[in-house]
């Protein structure tokens, strides 16, 4: 299941977005009555690593940052009460450096609970937390509890599986609606563009494209906006009824395997990883379908987003995945990410014998129903 919890985790490190206008920022912080050696650090991400942009020692809870930037920057502010460096900081918060006065306040001295406001994007980040994140937290806790309480016997019961699938679908629909409503009503802030970027592959493609077209021209023309446009164009290459573009990756022995090697068969192209819990939950269903239909012109090609060869191979063996498996072991930098234009897993594509895409993201009972429809005819 594609969950917005994954999206929110990714957004813990906000993205650099060019909005061309020269920005003059001031940060005014007030965290209780903290004093030296308590220190706050502003962290940017450069070349996939944190870099300290600035730091300040607190005096009676107060600290100030000022500076000029060429574009709006999303970064992290972290607090280390011992002042021993950002690496040992226990509290952090995302914020935007942008034109204006940004305030960071919490009377108890907690950065984690602090309210960041005062400028358009920081205000928008606060609104989406109240309007989207908080309402989803309770729904997600209830769904997670239902998933965790499921026994192996319950997971074998078709009635319970249908009930669980319905609960997951309801949660996802609710999450998509809340995010979409926010983006629709806030088309001028980077926050909307950041969240829309993470909706690719989660919400329906047409809905993402419609929301993108509603964004301000400034956001659409920014580097991140152009990246999203490229992804949307890429997704159209994977529309229903289109022959899936070929992808070739090494198998567990290092030998290249191509998606076109399976022409003449129904093929489920399954993107997964050993670290992906929803993927691992679905694997027993794939095993059952493969065993049932492997002699009826059906095959599976597993494409892993792992970065550990050992963890990948252990998961294959433990889950009894006996169909072809490929990976370049580059995690989110895998060639598969750019190829399919996705940013979440599990994801799958069902191809007919000519290589055309006939279904997407089939799992559980939906996959069983589709394969029965296709492969049980005349039997």
């Amino acid at each position: 299941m594609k969950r917005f919890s994954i999206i929110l985790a990714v957004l813990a490190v906000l993205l650099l977005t060019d909005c061309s206008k020269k920005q003059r920022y001031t940060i005014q912080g007030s965290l209780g009555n903290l004093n030296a050696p308590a220190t706050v650090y502003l962290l940017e991400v450069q070349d996939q690593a944190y870099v300290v942009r600035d730091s300040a020692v607190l005096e009676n809870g107060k600290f100030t940052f000022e500076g000029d930037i060429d574009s709006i920057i999303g970064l992290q502010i972290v607090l280390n009460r011992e002042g021993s460096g950002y690496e040992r900081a226990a509290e952090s918060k995302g914020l935007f450096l942008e034109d204006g006065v940004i305030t960071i306040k919490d009377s108890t001295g907690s950065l984690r609970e602090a309210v960041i406001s005062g400028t358009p994007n920081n205000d928008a980040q606060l609104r989406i937390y109240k309007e989207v994140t908080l309402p989803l937290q309770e729904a997600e806790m209830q769904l997670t509890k239902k998933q965790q309480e499921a026994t192996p016997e319950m997971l074998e019961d078709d009635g319970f599986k249908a009930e669980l699938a319905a609960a997951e679908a309801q949660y996802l629909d609710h999450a998509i609606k809340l995010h979409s409503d926010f983006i629709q009503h806030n088309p001028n802030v980077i926050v909307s563009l950041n969240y829309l970027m993470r909706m690719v592959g989660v919400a329906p493609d047409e809905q993402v494209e419609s929301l993108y077209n509603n964004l301000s021209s400034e956001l659409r023309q920014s580097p991140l906006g152009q990246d999203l446009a490229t992804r949307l164009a890429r997704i159209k290459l994977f529309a229903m009824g289109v022959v899936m573009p070929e992808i070739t990756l090494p198998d567990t022995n290092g030998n290249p395997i191509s998606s076109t090697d399976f022409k003449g068969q129904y093929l489920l192209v399954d993107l997964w990883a050993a670290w992906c819990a929803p993927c691992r939950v679905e694997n027993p269903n794939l095993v059952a379908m493969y065993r049932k239909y492997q002699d009826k012109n059906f095959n599976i090609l597993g494409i892993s987003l792992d970065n550990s060869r050992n963890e990948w191979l252990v998961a294959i063996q433990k889950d009894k995945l006996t169909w072809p498996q490929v990976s370049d072991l580059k995690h989110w930098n895998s060639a598969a990410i750019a190829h399919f234009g996705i940013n979440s897993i599990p994801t799958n594509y069902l191809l007919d014998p000519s290589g055309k895409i006939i279904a997407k993201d089939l799992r559980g009972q939906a996959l069983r129903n589709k394969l029965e429809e296709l492969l049980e005819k005349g039997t």
Side-chain angles (χ1 to χ4, degrees):
M1 174 187 173
K2 294 184 173 69
R3 300 275 293 279
F4 268 81
S5 56
I6 298 174
I7 294 174
L8 298 177
V10 173
L11 285 171
V13 178
L14 301 171
L15 299 174
L16 173 65
T17 307
D18 178 14
C19 286
S20 67
K21 178 185 174 184
K22 190 79 170 179
Q23 310 282 322
R24 174 69 182 176
Y25 67 87
T26 299
I27 299 176
Q28 295 178 346
S30 178
L31 297 177
N33 58 3
L34 292 178
N35 284 292
T39 304
V40 287
Y41 304 84
L42 294 180
L43 304 181
E44 291 183 58
V45 176
Q46 296 181 8
D47 298 324
Q48 300 183 341
Y50 280 122
V51 175
V52 177
R53 180 183 184 89
D54 206 345
S55 64
V57 177
L58 278 70
E59 182 178 350
N60 195 28
K62 302 296 191 295
F63 63 91
T64 301
F65 294 106
E66 292 182 327
D68 295 313
I69 48 177
D70 293 327
S71 60
I72 301 172
I73 300 175
L75 45 66
Q76 291 281 305
I77 181 169
V78 300
L79 168 66
N80 185 328
R81 295 170 186 266
E82 288 73 42
S84 56
Y86 77 89
E87 299 91 344
R88 297 178 178 272
E91 299 177 56
S92 67
K93 199 97 172 179
L95 62 80
F96 287 95
L97 286 189
E98 60 183 331
D99 199 47
V101 178
I102 304 160
T103 61
I104 304 176
K105 294 182 179 180
D106 182 76
S107 60
T108 69
S110 169
L111 177 60
R112 187 178 293 110
E113 301 300 324
V115 173
I116 301 177
S117 61
T119 57
N121 281 286
N122 289 299
D123 288 345
Q125 188 78 353
L126 182 59
R127 289 198 306 277
I128 201 169
Y129 177 74
K130 293 178 178 179
E131 298 172 16
V132 179
T133 306
L134 284 179
L136 282 178
Q137 283 180 348
E138 183 177 352
E140 184 171 4
M141 284 191 295
Q142 292 175 351
L143 177 58
T144 300
K145 181 180 179 181
K146 189 177 186 67
Q147 293 170 326
Q148 292 175 341
E149 290 177 348
T151 65
E153 292 77 17
M154 294 169 68
L155 291 173
E156 290 298 321
D157 179 74
D158 287 341
F160 176 80
K161 286 189 287 188
E163 180 183 336
L164 182 59
E168 291 176 340
Q170 183 179 22
Y171 168 84
L172 184 58
D173 288 344
H174 184 48
I176 289 173
K177 184 179 188 310
L178 289 179
H179 283 84
S180 297
D181 287 349
F182 180 88
I183 294 168
Q184 183 74 29
H185 293 106
N186 296 273
N188 301 312
V189 292
I190 298 171
V191 173
S192 290
L193 178 55
N194 277 342
Y195 275 82
L196 184 58
M197 191 73 171
R198 304 305 168 184
M199 288 176 67
V200 175
V202 179
D205 300 338
E206 301 80 7
Q207 186 172 2
V208 174
E209 185 169 16
S210 176
L211 290 168
Y212 173 79
N213 291 333
N214 186 60
L215 293 176
S216 69
S217 59
E218 184 180 31
L219 287 180
R220 284 186 277 113
Q221 292 166 10
S222 70
L224 186 62
Q226 291 298 299
D227 186 21
L228 178 52
T230 299
R231 288 197 180 203
L232 291 173
R234 185 69 185 172
I235 285 173
K236 291 182 179 180
L237 299 177
F238 295 84
M240 298 288 287
V242 174
V243 173
M244 194 187 84
E246 178 183 9
I247 183 169
T248 302
L249 290 169
D251 67 8
T252 55
N253 295 314
N255 300 316
I257 292 184
S258 170
S259 55
T260 59
D261 294 342
F262 303 88
K263 285 285 185 70
Q265 296 178 290
Y266 286 97
L267 178 69
L268 184 72
V269 179
D270 178 50
L271 286 96
W272 73 292
W275 46 261
C276 170
C279 305
R280 303 293 295 275
V281 168
E282 176 65 11
N283 277 344
N285 184 52
L286 296 185
V287 170
M289 293 300 95
Y290 184 70
R291 288 174 177 171
K292 184 174 183 179
Y293 294 117
Q294 62 178 314
D295 295 327
K296 295 185 178 181
N297 210 35
F298 173 69
N299 213 330
I300 301 176
L301 174 62
I303 300 179
S304 167
L305 299 186
D306 281 293
N307 59 352
S308 166
R309 175 176 174 79
N310 182 63
E311 291 177 6
W312 177 41
L313 297 179
V314 167
I316 291 172
Q317 182 177 20
K318 184 175 182 179
D319 291 2
K320 299 181 174 60
L321 312 183
T322 56
W323 50 85
Q325 294 285 344
V326 298
S327 179
D328 55 13
L329 298 174
K330 293 182 179 179
H331 205 232
W332 290 111
N333 292 318
S334 171
I337 295 296
H339 181 81
F340 292 99
I342 62 168
N343 54 35
S344 64
I345 54 175
T347 294
N348 64 45
Y349 302 84
L350 182 62
L351 314 183
D352 72 6
S354 70
K356 290 182 180 178
I357 299 171
I358 56 175
K360 299 179 185 179
D361 294 326
L362 294 176
R363 281 177 284 281
Q365 190 62 46
L367 177 60
R368 293 195 291 274
N369 291 344
K370 188 63 175 180
L371 293 180
E372 182 177 2
E373 171 194 331
L374 294 171
L375 302 173
E376 294 288 357
K377 293 177 181 178
T379 62

